[in-house]
């Protein structure tokens, strides 16, 4: 009886966290068009970033889909706030914000870089 109760509580917790989550959709540059409200934009930095994340018009750069070649749409991004050390052209990153007049305006301090090494398959010990 106790084991069933614990299992039921865990199942409810899993369902709740899956549904409640953070409530923010994860989108790519090719799927962000037409979405309103705050979303997470996941992409690869292309071109040369310009501006300053701490002053004036902010840091400006473009994102494209991570796994698509040169045919992927590019979305211009404006960002203010702390910039991770790994930020550079070619970096995979996530920013939260919303699309305004074709430009993704990121929330201050929402930039997170993704490390591709952490997502690569483990190397085989059989060499």
């Amino acid at each position: 009886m106790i084991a069933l109760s614990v299992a039921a509580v865990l199942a409810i917790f899993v369902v709740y966290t899956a549904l409640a989550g953070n409530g923010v959709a994860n989108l790519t540059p090719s799927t962000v068009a037409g979405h309103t409200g705050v979303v997470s934009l996941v992409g690869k930095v292309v071109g040369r970033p310009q501006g300053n994340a701490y002053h004036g018009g902010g840091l400006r750069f473009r994102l494209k889909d991570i796994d698509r070649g040169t045919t992927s749409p590019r979305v211009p991004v404006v960002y203010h706030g702390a910039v991770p050390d790994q930020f550079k052209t070619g970096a995979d990153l996530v920013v939260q914000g919303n699309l305004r007049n074709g430009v993704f305006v990121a929330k201050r301090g929402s930039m997170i870089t993704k490390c591709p090494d952490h997502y690569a398959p483990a190397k085989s010990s059989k060499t």
Side-chain angles (χ1 to χ4, degrees):
M1 185 68 155
I2 293 173
L4 288 175
S5 298
V6 170
V9 168
L10 288 175
I12 291 169
F13 175 75
V14 169
V15 170
Y16 172 76
T17 55
L19 295 177
N22 63 3
V24 177
N26 287 321
L27 302 174
T28 62
S30 63
T31 61
V32 72
H35 285 273
T36 58
V38 175
V39 299
S40 290
L41 183 63
V42 180
K44 182 178 291 290
V45 178
V46 293
R48 184 172 165 230
Q50 298 182 354
N52 187 319
Y54 302 102
H55 302 290
L59 180 64
R60 296 178 175 273
F61 55 93
R62 292 183 178 272
L63 290 179
K64 74 171 192 82
D65 289 5
I66 292 173
D67 293 333
R68 293 180 71 185
T70 58
T71 61
S72 174
R74 273 107 167 111
V75 173
V77 178
V78 175
Y79 175 79
H80 292 87
V83 177
D85 291 339
Q86 298 84 7
F87 176 80
K88 62 182 178 184
T89 299
D92 296 347
L93 61 91
V94 179
V95 287
Q96 284 191 359
N98 56 6
L99 198 60
R100 296 185 199 158
N101 299 319
V103 176
F104 191 83
V105 179
K107 291 171 69 175
R108 180 176 295 276
S110 69
M111 184 187 295
I112 300 170
T113 55
K114 295 172 63 178
C115 181
D117 293 336
H118 292 159
Y119 303 102
K123 292 182 180 180
S124 174
S125 61
K126 299 176 186 177
T127 53

